[in-house]
């Protein structure tokens, strides 16, 4: 066996067996963008500051900022922070199910349009914003906001073609927006305790 003899002849000292790389790769960088088609989603992204006549609305940005403290606490093995993350996880699941359920209802309405091929309305100039969050829960909130944006586009399209009335479409949009606003205020409870 000539192959065995050649392998045996190779010098496989520890230094050549596992050479040390000259340097490590640099830090990974990437960019994530959230594109929003509707002003409904844009308002939920930023929220609203409190005024003399209206209370503040916590948007995705405020949600992510408050989550940062909880996330760091969980990384430092704070069981109270873990408890808050469980509440946030449950809130994301509940709000997500609400939005997905509404989208399924609207999709069923669209399927009844046998003879018409309906494209869901979309903006020619969607609002794009870069995301740079410190934890995965904030990105899950952004994904949920994108799903809400898609729901709003569907509801407005169905209203435009007469499959939904004004009150019905506004009811769908407002109920889903309320779920997201409720989710975004969960970390705010941390400062109340």
């Amino acid at each position: 066996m000539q192959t065995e003899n050649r392998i045996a002849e190779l010098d496989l000292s520890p230094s050549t067996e596992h050479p040390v790389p000259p340097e490590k790769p640099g830090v990974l960088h990437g960019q994530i963008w959230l594109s929003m088609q509707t002003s409904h989603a844009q308002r939920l992204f930023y929220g609203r500051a409190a005024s003399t006549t209206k209370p503040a609305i916590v948007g995705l940005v405020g949600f992510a900022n408050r989550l940062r403290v909880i996330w760091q606490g969980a990384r430092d093995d704070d069981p109270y922070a873990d408890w808050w993350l469980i509440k946030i996880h449950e809130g994301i699941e509940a709000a997500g199910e609400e939005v997905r359920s509404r989208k399924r209802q609207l999709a069923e309405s669209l399927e009844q349009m046998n003879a018409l091929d309906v494209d869901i309305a979309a903006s020619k100039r969607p609002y794009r914003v870069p995301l740079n969050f410190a934890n995965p829960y904030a990105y899950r909130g952004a994904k949920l906001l994108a799903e809400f944006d898609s729901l709003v586009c569907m509801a407005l399209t169905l209203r435009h073609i007469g499959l939904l009335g004004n009150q019905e479409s506004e009811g769908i949009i407002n109920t889903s927006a309320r779920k997201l606003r409720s989710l975004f205020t969960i970390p705010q409870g941390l400062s109340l305790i």
Side-chain angles (χ1 to χ4, degrees):
M1 300 255 163
Q2 286 183 330
T3 309
E4 288 178 8
N5 289 339
R6 287 185 186 157
I7 292 174
E9 293 172 5
L10 291 175
D11 178 26
L12 295 178
S13 62
S15 63
T16 60
E17 191 172 313
H18 298 288
V20 177
E23 61 182 71
K24 293 182 180 181
V27 177
L28 296 176
H29 291 279
Q31 186 63 56
I32 298 175
W33 293 83
L34 175 62
S35 294
M36 293 172 275
Q37 306 289 325
T38 65
S39 59
H40 297 80
Q42 189 180 22
R43 285 192 303 264
L44 278 175
F45 181 80
Y46 289 108
R48 179 181 69 202
S51 70
T52 57
T53 58
K54 295 181 180 179
I57 293 177
V58 178
L60 179 64
V61 173
F63 173 71
N65 284 337
R66 287 179 176 88
L67 250 171
R68 207 171 9 150
V69 174
I70 297 170
W71 183 255
Q72 186 58 49
R75 291 182 73 185
D76 294 339
D77 293 327
D78 180 355
Y80 193 56
D82 291 338
W83 180 77
W84 277 103
L85 287 179
I86 290 169
K87 286 182 69 162
I88 291 164
H89 173 78
E90 290 170 351
I92 288 172
E93 293 296 318
E97 184 52 40
E98 168 71 25
V99 170
R100 286 186 291 275
S101 171
R102 297 291 182 158
K103 282 181 73 172
R104 281 191 298 272
Q105 289 173 348
L106 296 180
E108 288 171 8
S109 295
L110 274 175
E111 287 175 9
Q112 295 173 3
M113 303 288 291
N114 296 336
L116 297 177
D117 186 18
V118 179
D119 286 337
I120 303 299
S123 174
K124 290 183 178 182
R125 288 183 304 123
Y127 180 74
R128 291 186 73 218
V129 61
L131 301 179
N132 188 18
F133 298 134
N135 61 74
Y137 290 98
Y139 285 105
R140 288 181 65 197
K143 180 181 178 288
L144 190 54
L145 183 58
E147 288 181 41
F148 169 75
D149 190 41
S150 172
L151 170 71
V152 172
C153 289
M154 289 179 78
L156 295 177
T157 300
L158 289 173
R159 182 171 76 186
H160 182 71
I161 62 175
L163 288 179
L164 285 178
N166 286 344
Q167 288 183 337
E168 191 176 7
S169 67
E170 288 299 317
I172 289 169
I173 293 169
N174 291 337
T175 301
S176 298
R178 200 171 302 118
K179 278 286 194 184
L180 262 74
R181 287 193 305 270
S182 176
L183 164 67
F184 293 161
T185 60
I186 291 174
Q188 188 176 11
L190 178 67
S191 62
L192 300 175
I193 293 177

